[in-house]
Amino acid sequence: MSPRPASIWLAAVVAVTLAACTTSDEGAPTPSQGSTAATPASAAGSGAAANPPGDCDGAVPSDDLPDGPLADQPAEGEPLPSVLVQSLDDCTPVDTASWVGEPLVVNFWASWCGPCRAEMPDLAEAAEVYDGRVRFVGVTFMDKPVDSRAFLDEFPVPYDTFVDANGQDLFRAIEARGTPATVLVDADGAVVFRHAGQISADALAEAISDHLDVDA
């Protein structure tokens, strides 16, 4: 007795499904060798990042954000916390401990922050003035990476920017206050100064001279 037409159709569907997809050791489906489905790397080229822009850890809302006085806070030389952040460019993870070794300015900002918008040109100019003597890094605070990138398209800076883990892990660990916030770290990795709120070019130059011993 020959198979029923419905049985033949079902067998064909199963065969096609098995041919199109295999399962990895972890149990997750992966394209078979013959598949032409694009992956992030194949779509963007062999040099593409494993996590394309947009996949960085985004901001996580919190009802318990750090607060405190909006006054300058000379620090007691606490070490720069070791926290994993991600490059805003390609989401590559970076340990902040790798920043130690040269005078450092860490600026926390967000696309939704008006004072951040006002101070960014001064920070960009200062980074050029101190190029090769003081390193500048930007760290986004409670912001979506896509919004942060759009902000930098409008206000470009000549230094690297990173996404804070969970939107605020480094901000908390370094005991920053307010947004924006600017923190100075000496070449030995000690946090030597904190400033909450917008910082002017003159105030930044004075802080760098006083706390990092580098003149403009």
Side-chain angles (χ1 to χ4, degrees), residues 53-151:
D55 287 351
C56 300
D57 293 337
V60 176
S62 174
D63 295 327
D64 184 28
L65 294 178
D67 57 10
L70 296 180
D72 292 349
Q73 305 166 38
E76 299 299 327
E78 307 97 326
L80 174 69
S82 175
V83 175
L84 280 180
V85 294
Q86 291 176 290
S87 167
L88 182 62
D89 288 338
D90 59 11
C91 303
T92 300
V94 174
D95 191 331
T96 56
S98 67
W99 297 345
V100 174
E102 58 187 322
L104 178 70
V105 173
V106 182
N107 176 254
F108 292 90
W109 62 275
S111 64
W112 43 261
C113 164
C116 300
R117 181 179 298 266
E119 76 172 4
M120 198 62 76
D122 285 343
L123 287 163
E125 182 177 352
E128 296 284 2
V129 170
Y130 293 99
D131 184 36
R133 297 179 296 152
V134 178
R135 180 180 181 183
F136 282 64
V137 297
V139 180
T140 63
F141 172 78
M142 299 297 293
D143 204 15
K144 295 179 180 179
V146 63
D147 294 335
S148 299
R149 295 188 187 101
F151 180 95

Side-chain angles (χ1 to χ4, degrees), residues 19-38:
C21 185
T22 60
T23 304
S24 66
D25 293 338
E26 292 75 22
T30 57
S32 65
Q33 292 182 350
S35 173
T36 58

